Amino acid sequence: MKAKLTKELCYIAGLSRLSDAEKSLVYIKTDKEEIAEKFVESAIKLGVDPKKIIIESNTEAKFYHSKIASNIREIRENKVKIFKYVNELSRSFVAGIFDARGIIESSIKIAKLSPSEILMLNNLGIKANKDKILNAKYFIMLIKGFSVRIEHIQLPGNERDPR
């Protein structure tokens, strides 16, 4: 792995989209303003000039950075090898995936999970069947503090917890 992995890079790797036409473009389109804000904050921590981040709306942002785009491609191609243990980096990557494609209804789902993403999740102790997370409580505890979308979930049993 050429890239120095940080939680910000791993989060953006899970969250963002990459363009096939423009190899250095990294962008997001989300339904939550807070996710777009975290994307911008993470990009700035990675060294992207704030003036070069293009905010198209409260839920869309993009920037051009060939090194970061290349690092994201490398992380995604090697995710099963890189994220085989539960740590800050794997939790950030899974949180990015969930913030990008996660749905919280009667169950927790992640849209369009690839077979390699399912394998990576299984290696981390998260049981996934197609797009549904089967051990939701463990999943929530794993990415709580890393995911914007999961932050406001209240689990049964911790109603009095002031956090």
Side-chain angles (χ1 to χ4, degrees):
M1 175 108 251
K2 296 178 213 164
K4 182 181 183 298
L5 294 179
T6 64
K7 65 181 183 178
E8 291 83 15
L9 180 60
C10 292
Y11 180 76
I12 286 180
L15 177 69
S16 63
R17 301 176 184 186
L18 297 174
S19 172
D20 291 330
E22 298 177 73
K23 296 289 186 197
S24 63
L25 175 63
V26 179
Y27 68 101
I28 62 154
K29 187 175 184 177
T30 182
D31 60 339
K32 288 197 170 286
E33 195 173 321
E34 296 90 353
I35 294 172
E37 289 171 7
K38 186 169 179 180
F39 172 80
V40 170
E41 289 169 13
S42 297
I44 292 169
K45 285 182 183 176
L46 289 174
V48 177
D49 184 354
K51 296 174 193 162
K52 301 213 176 191
I53 298 172
I54 302 159
I55 300 170
E56 296 183 344
S57 72
N58 289 342
T59 57
E60 292 180 52
K62 66 181 178 180
F63 62 86
Y64 291 88
H65 198 290
S66 57
K67 183 178 179 189
I68 291 174
S70 173
N71 290 342
I72 290 170
R73 282 185 173 78
E74 191 174 348
I75 288 168
R76 288 183 179 174
E77 288 170 10
N78 299 303
K79 65 184 156 283
V80 175
K81 291 180 197 170
I82 296 170
F83 304 116
K84 52 185 165 181
Y85 304 109
V86 175
N87 57 32
E88 188 175 69
L89 301 175
S90 60
R91 294 170 74 189
S92 295
F93 184 72
V94 173
I97 291 173
F98 185 71
D99 282 353
R101 299 180 271 150
I103 303 162
I104 305 168
E105 293 171 338
S106 59
S107 61
I108 293 181
K109 296 180 180 181
I110 301 175
K112 301 176 185 170
L113 278 175
S114 69
S116 62
E117 287 173 332
I118 291 172
L119 177 60
M120 179 202 63
L121 291 172
N122 285 329
N123 289 345
L124 296 174
I126 301 165
K127 293 173 181 58
N129 182 9
K130 293 191 181 181
D131 64 345
K132 187 174 181 182
I133 303 299
L134 302 176
N135 54 343
K137 193 170 185 177
Y138 174 73
F139 180 77
I140 292 168
M141 298 310 283
L142 186 78
I143 65 171
K144 191 136 178 105
F146 292 86
S147 167
V148 172
R149 194 176 295 277
I150 213 83
E151 267 320 293
H152 303 292
I153 295 290
Q154 190 72 28
L155 292 175
N158 68 351
E159 291 87 357
R160 294 188 205 153
D161 190 356
R163 285 181 272 162

